[in-house]
Coordinates of all heavy atoms in Angstrom, one line a residue:
M1 N 112.0 120.9 15.0 CA 111.7 122.0 15.9 C 113.0 122.5 16.5 O 113.1 123.6 16.9 CB 110.7 121.5 16.9 CG 110.2 122.6 17.8 SD 109.1 123.6 16.7 CE 108.8 124.9 17.9
E2 N 114.0 121.6 16.7 CA 115.3 122.0 17.2 C 116.0 123.0 16.4 O 116.5 124.0 17.0 CB 116.2 120.7 17.4 CG 117.5 121.0 18.0 CD 118.4 119.8 18.0 OE1 117.9 118.7 18.1 OE2 119.6 120.0 17.9
N3 N 115.9 122.9 15.1 CA 116.6 123.9 14.2 C 115.8 125.2 14.3 O 116.5 126.3 14.2 CB 116.6 123.4 12.8 CG 117.8 122.5 12.5 OD1 118.8 122.5 13.3 ND2 117.7 121.7 11.5
Y4 N 114.5 125.2 14.5 CA 113.8 126.4 14.6 C 114.2 127.2 15.9 O 114.4 128.4 15.8 CB 112.3 126.1 14.6 CG 111.4 127.4 14.7 CD1 111.3 128.2 13.5 CD2 110.8 127.8 15.8 CE1 110.6 129.3 13.6 CE2 110.0 128.9 15.8 CZ 109.9 129.7 14.7 OH 109.2 130.9 14.8
T5 N 114.4 126.5 16.9 CA 114.9 127.1 18.2 C 116.3 127.7 18.0 O 116.6 128.8 18.4 CB 114.9 126.1 19.3 OG1 113.6 125.5 19.5 CG2 115.3 126.7 20.6
K6 N 117.1 127.0 17.2 CA 118.5 127.5 16.9 C 118.4 128.8 16.1 O 119.1 129.7 16.3 CB 119.3 126.4 16.2 CG 119.8 125.3 17.0 CD 120.6 124.3 16.1 CE 120.9 123.1 16.8 NZ 121.7 122.1 15.9
L7 N 117.4 128.8 15.2 CA 117.2 129.9 14.3 C 116.9 131.2 15.2 O 117.4 132.3 15.0 CB 116.2 129.7 13.3 CG 115.9 130.8 12.3 CD1 117.1 131.1 11.4 CD2 114.7 130.4 11.4
K8 N 115.9 131.0 16.1 CA 115.5 132.1 16.9 C 116.7 132.6 17.8 O 116.8 133.8 17.9 CB 114.3 131.7 17.8 CG 113.0 131.5 17.1 CD 111.8 131.3 17.9 CE 112.0 130.5 19.2 NZ 110.8 130.3 20.0
D9 N 117.5 131.7 18.3 CA 118.6 132.1 19.1 C 119.6 132.8 18.3 O 120.2 133.8 18.8 CB 119.3 130.8 19.8 CG 118.4 130.2 20.8 OD1 117.4 130.8 21.3 OD2 118.6 129.0 21.1
L10 N 119.8 132.4 17.1 CA 120.8 133.0 16.2 C 120.4 134.5 15.9 O 121.2 135.4 15.9 CB 121.0 132.2 14.9 CG 122.1 132.6 14.0 CD1 123.5 132.7 14.7 CD2 122.2 131.6 12.9
V11 N 119.1 134.6 15.6 CA 118.6 136.0 15.3 C 118.8 136.9 16.5 O 119.3 138.0 16.4 CB 117.1 135.9 14.9 CG1 116.5 137.3 14.9 CG2 116.9 135.3 13.6
A12 N 118.5 136.3 17.7 CA 118.7 137.1 18.9 C 120.1 137.5 19.2 O 120.5 138.5 19.7 CB 118.1 136.4 20.1
S13 N 121.0 136.6 18.8 CA 122.5 136.8 19.1 C 123.1 137.9 18.3 O 124.1 138.5 18.7 CB 123.2 135.5 18.9 OG 123.3 135.1 17.5
I14 N 122.5 138.2 17.1 CA 123.1 139.2 16.3 C 122.5 140.6 16.5 O 122.9 141.6 15.9 CB 123.1 138.9 14.8 CG1 121.7 138.8 14.2 CG2 123.9 137.6 14.5 CD1 121.6 138.7 12.7
E15 N 121.5 140.6 17.4 CA 120.8 141.9 17.6 C 121.7 143.0 18.1 O 121.6 144.1 17.7 CB 119.6 141.7 18.6 CG 118.8 142.9 18.8 CD 117.6 142.6 19.7 OE1 117.3 141.5 20.1 OE2 116.9 143.6 20.0
G16 N 122.5 142.6 19.1 CA 123.5 143.6 19.6 C 124.4 144.2 18.6 O 124.6 145.4 18.6
D17 N 124.9 143.3 17.8 CA 125.8 143.8 16.7 C 125.1 144.6 15.7 O 125.7 145.6 15.2 CB 126.5 142.6 16.0 CG 127.7 142.0 16.9 OD1 128.3 142.8 17.6 OD2 127.9 140.8 16.8
A18 N 123.9 144.3 15.4 CA 123.1 145.1 14.4 C 122.9 146.5 15.0 O 123.0 147.5 14.2 CB 121.7 144.4 14.2
E19 N 122.6 146.6 16.3 CA 122.4 147.9 16.9 C 123.7 148.7 16.8 O 123.7 149.9 16.5 CB 122.0 147.8 18.3 CG 120.5 147.3 18.5 CD 120.1 147.2 19.9 OE1 120.8 147.8 20.8 OE2 119.1 146.6 20.1
K20 N 124.8 148.0 17.1 CA 126.1 148.7 17.0 C 126.4 149.2 15.6 O 127.0 150.3 15.5 CB 127.3 147.8 17.5 CG 127.3 147.5 19.0 CD 128.4 146.5 19.3 CE 128.3 146.1 20.7 NZ 129.3 145.0 21.0
F21 N 126.1 148.4 14.6 CA 126.4 148.8 13.3 C 125.5 150.0 12.8 O 125.9 151.0 12.3 CB 126.2 147.6 12.3 CG 126.4 148.0 10.9 CD1 127.7 148.3 10.4 CD2 125.3 148.1 10.0 CE1 127.8 148.7 9.1 CE2 125.5 148.5 8.7 CZ 126.8 148.8 8.2
F22 N 124.2 149.8 13.0 CA 123.2 150.8 12.5 C 123.2 152.1 13.3 O 123.0 153.2 12.7 CB 121.8 150.2 12.3 CG 121.7 149.2 11.2 CD1 121.6 147.8 11.5 CD2 121.8 149.6 9.9 CE1 121.5 146.9 10.5 CE2 121.7 148.6 8.9 CZ 121.6 147.3 9.2
N23 N 123.4 152.0 14.6 CA 123.3 153.2 15.4 C 124.6 153.9 15.6 O 124.7 155.1 15.7 CB 122.7 152.9 16.8 CG 121.3 152.4 16.7 OD1 120.6 152.8 15.7 ND2 120.8 151.6 17.6
N24 N 125.7 153.1 15.6 CA 127.0 153.7 15.9 C 128.0 153.6 14.7 O 129.1 154.2 14.8 CB 127.7 153.0 17.1 CG 126.8 153.1 18.4 OD1 126.1 154.0 18.5 ND2 126.9 152.1 19.2
G25 N 127.6 153.0 13.7 CA 128.5 152.9 12.5 C 129.7 152.0 12.7 O 130.7 152.2 12.0
N26 N 129.6 151.1 13.6 CA 130.7 150.2 13.9 C 130.8 149.1 12.7 O 130.0 148.2 12.6 CB 130.5 149.5 15.2 CG 131.7 148.6 15.6 OD1 132.4 148.0 14.8 ND2 131.8 148.4 16.9
S27 N 131.8 149.3 11.9 CA 131.9 148.4 10.7 C 132.2 146.9 11.1 O 131.8 146.0 10.4 CB 132.9 148.9 9.7 OG 134.2 149.0 10.2
A28 N 133.0 146.7 12.1 CA 133.3 145.3 12.6 C 132.0 144.6 13.0 O 131.8 143.4 12.7 CB 134.3 145.3 13.7
A29 N 131.1 145.4 13.6 CA 129.8 144.8 14.0 C 129.0 144.4 12.8 O 128.3 143.4 12.8 CB 129.1 145.7 14.9
G30 N 129.1 145.2 11.7 CA 128.4 145.0 10.5 C 128.9 143.7 9.9 O 128.1 142.9 9.3
T31 N 130.2 143.4 10.0 CA 130.8 142.2 9.4 C 130.2 141.0 10.2 O 129.9 140.0 9.6 CB 132.3 142.2 9.5 OG1 132.8 143.3 8.8 CG2 132.9 140.9 9.0
R32 N 130.1 141.1 11.5 CA 129.5 140.0 12.4 C 128.1 139.8 12.0 O 127.6 138.7 12.0 CB 129.7 140.3 13.8 CG 131.2 140.3 14.3 CD 131.3 140.4 15.8 NE 130.9 141.6 16.3 CZ 131.6 142.7 16.5 NH1 132.9 142.7 16.1 NH2 131.1 143.8 17.0
V33 N 127.3 140.9 11.8 CA 125.9 140.7 11.4 C 125.8 140.0 10.1 O 125.0 139.1 9.9 CB 125.2 142.1 11.3 CG1 123.9 142.0 10.7 CG2 125.2 142.8 12.7
R34 N 126.6 140.4 9.1 CA 126.6 139.7 7.8 C 126.9 138.2 7.9 O 126.3 137.4 7.3 CB 127.6 140.3 6.8 CG 127.1 141.7 6.4 CD 128.1 142.4 5.4 NE 128.5 141.5 4.3 CZ 129.7 141.3 3.9 NH1 130.7 141.9 4.5 NH2 130.0 140.5 2.9
K35 N 127.9 137.9 8.8 CA 128.2 136.5 9.0 C 127.0 135.7 9.6 O 126.7 134.6 9.2 CB 129.4 136.4 9.9 CG 129.9 134.9 10.2 CD 131.1 134.9 11.1 CE 131.4 133.4 11.3 NZ 132.2 133.2 12.5
G36 N 126.4 136.4 10.6 CA 125.3 135.8 11.3 C 124.1 135.6 10.3 O 123.4 134.6 10.4
L37 N 123.9 136.6 9.4 CA 122.8 136.4 8.5 C 123.1 135.3 7.5 O 122.1 134.6 7.1 CB 122.6 137.8 7.7 CG 122.0 138.9 8.5 CD1 122.1 140.2 7.7 CD2 120.6 138.6 9.0
Q38 N 124.3 135.1 7.2 CA 124.6 133.9 6.3 C 124.3 132.6 7.0 O 123.8 131.7 6.4 CB 126.1 134.0 5.9 CG 126.5 132.9 4.9 CD 125.7 133.0 3.6 OE1 125.5 134.1 3.0 NE2 125.3 131.9 3.0
E39 N 124.6 132.5 8.3 CA 124.3 131.3 9.1 C 122.8 131.2 9.2 O 122.3 130.0 9.1 CB 124.9 131.4 10.5 CG 126.4 131.4 10.5 CD 127.0 131.6 11.8 OE1 126.3 131.5 12.8 OE2 128.2 131.9 11.9
I40 N 122.1 132.3 9.3 CA 120.6 132.2 9.3 C 120.1 131.7 8.0 O 119.2 130.8 8.0 CB 120.0 133.6 9.7 CG1 120.3 134.0 11.1 CG2 118.5 133.6 9.3 CD1 119.9 135.4 11.5
K41 N 120.6 132.1 6.9 CA 120.2 131.7 5.6 C 120.4 130.2 5.5 O 119.5 129.5 5.0 CB 121.0 132.4 4.5 CG 120.7 132.0 3.1 CD 121.5 132.7 2.1 CE 121.3 132.2 0.7 NZ 122.3 132.8 -0.2
T42 N 121.5 129.7 5.9 CA 121.8 128.3 5.8 C 120.9 127.4 6.7 O 120.3 126.4 6.2 CB 123.3 128.0 6.2 OG1 124.1 128.8 5.3 CG2 123.7 126.5 6.1
L43 N 120.7 127.9 7.9 CA 119.8 127.2 8.8 C 118.4 127.2 8.3 O 117.7 126.2 8.4 CB 119.9 127.8 10.2 CG 119.2 127.0 11.3 CD1 119.7 125.6 11.4 CD2 119.5 127.7 12.6
A44 N 117.9 128.3 7.8 CA 116.6 128.4 7.3 C 116.4 127.4 6.1 O 115.3 126.8 6.0 CB 116.3 129.8 6.8
Q45 N 117.4 127.3 5.3 CA 117.3 126.3 4.2 C 117.2 124.9 4.7 O 116.4 124.1 4.2 CB 118.5 126.5 3.2 CG 118.3 125.6 2.0 CD 117.1 126.0 1.1 OE1 116.9 127.1 0.8 NE2 116.4 125.0 0.7
E46 N 117.9 124.6 5.7 CA 117.8 123.3 6.3 C 116.4 123.0 6.9 O 115.9 121.9 6.7 CB 118.9 123.1 7.5 CG 120.3 123.0 7.0 CD 121.3 123.0 8.1 OE1 120.9 122.6 9.3 OE2 122.5 123.3 7.9
I47 N 115.9 124.0 7.5 CA 114.5 123.9 8.1 C 113.5 123.7 6.9 O 112.6 122.8 7.0 CB 114.1 125.1 8.9 CG1 115.0 125.2 10.2 CG2 112.6 125.1 9.3 CD1 114.9 126.5 10.9
R48 N 113.7 124.4 5.8 CA 112.8 124.2 4.7 C 112.9 122.8 4.1 O 111.9 122.2 3.8 CB 113.2 125.2 3.6 CG 112.8 126.7 3.8 CD 113.3 127.6 2.7 NE 113.1 127.0 1.4 CZ 112.1 127.5 0.6 NH1 111.3 128.4 1.0 NH2 112.0 127.0 -0.6
N49 N 114.1 122.3 4.1 CA 114.3 120.9 3.6 C 113.6 119.9 4.5 O 113.0 118.9 4.0 CB 115.8 120.6 3.4 CG 116.4 121.4 2.2 OD1 115.7 121.9 1.4 ND2 117.7 121.5 2.3
E50 N 113.8 120.1 5.8 CA 113.1 119.2 6.8 C 111.6 119.2 6.6 O 111.0 118.2 6.7 CB 113.5 119.6 8.2 CG 114.9 119.3 8.6 CD 115.2 119.8 10.0 OE1 114.3 120.1 10.8 OE2 116.4 120.0 10.3
I51 N 111.1 120.4 6.5 CA 109.6 120.5 6.3 C 109.1 119.8 5.1 O 108.1 119.1 5.1 CB 109.2 122.0 6.3 CG1 109.4 122.6 7.7 CG2 107.7 122.2 5.9 CD1 109.3 124.1 7.8
T52 N 109.8 120.0 4.0 CA 109.5 119.4 2.7 C 109.5 117.9 2.9 O 108.6 117.2 2.4 CB 110.4 119.9 1.6 OG1 110.2 121.3 1.5 CG2 110.0 119.2 0.3
A53 N 110.6 117.4 3.5 CA 110.7 115.9 3.6 C 109.6 115.4 4.5 O 109.1 114.3 4.2 CB 112.1 115.6 4.2
T54 N 109.3 116.0 5.6 CA 108.2 115.6 6.5 C 106.9 115.6 5.8 O 106.1 114.7 5.9 CB 108.2 116.5 7.7 OG1 109.5 116.4 8.4 CG2 107.1 116.0 8.7
K55 N 106.7 116.7 5.0 CA 105.4 116.8 4.3 C 105.3 115.7 3.2 O 104.2 115.1 3.1 CB 105.4 118.2 3.6 CG 104.1 118.5 3.0 CD 104.1 120.0 2.5 CE 103.9 120.0 1.0 NZ 103.9 121.3 0.5
N56 N 106.3 115.4 2.5 CA 106.3 114.4 1.5 C 106.2 113.0 2.0 O 105.6 112.1 1.4 CB 107.5 114.5 0.5 CG 107.4 115.8 -0.3 OD1 106.3 116.4 -0.5 ND2 108.6 116.2 -0.8
S57 N 106.8 112.8 3.2 CA 106.7 111.4 3.7 C 105.3 111.1 4.3 O 105.0 109.9 4.5 CB 107.8 111.2 4.8 OG 107.5 112.0 5.9
A58 N 104.5 112.1 4.6 CA 103.2 112.0 5.1 C 102.2 111.5 4.0 O 101.2 111.0 4.4 CB 102.7 113.2 5.8
K59 N 102.6 111.7 2.8 CA 101.7 111.3 1.7 C 101.7 109.8 1.4 O 102.5 109.1 1.7 CB 102.1 112.0 0.4 CG 101.8 113.5 0.5 CD 102.2 114.2 -0.8 CE 101.8 115.7 -0.7 NZ 102.1 116.4 -1.9

């Protein structure tokens, strides 16, 4: 559950940069959004692995 909370915080943290990129065309903000999305992808995969391990250990 800790990683899920981190995931939600990470999504919230890139929201401002996403607005700057899409609304104002700030390319540096776009780079920060892309970096944040990569971190989200990695964290989401970790959460998937935790869920699978927990599910399999319950059997």
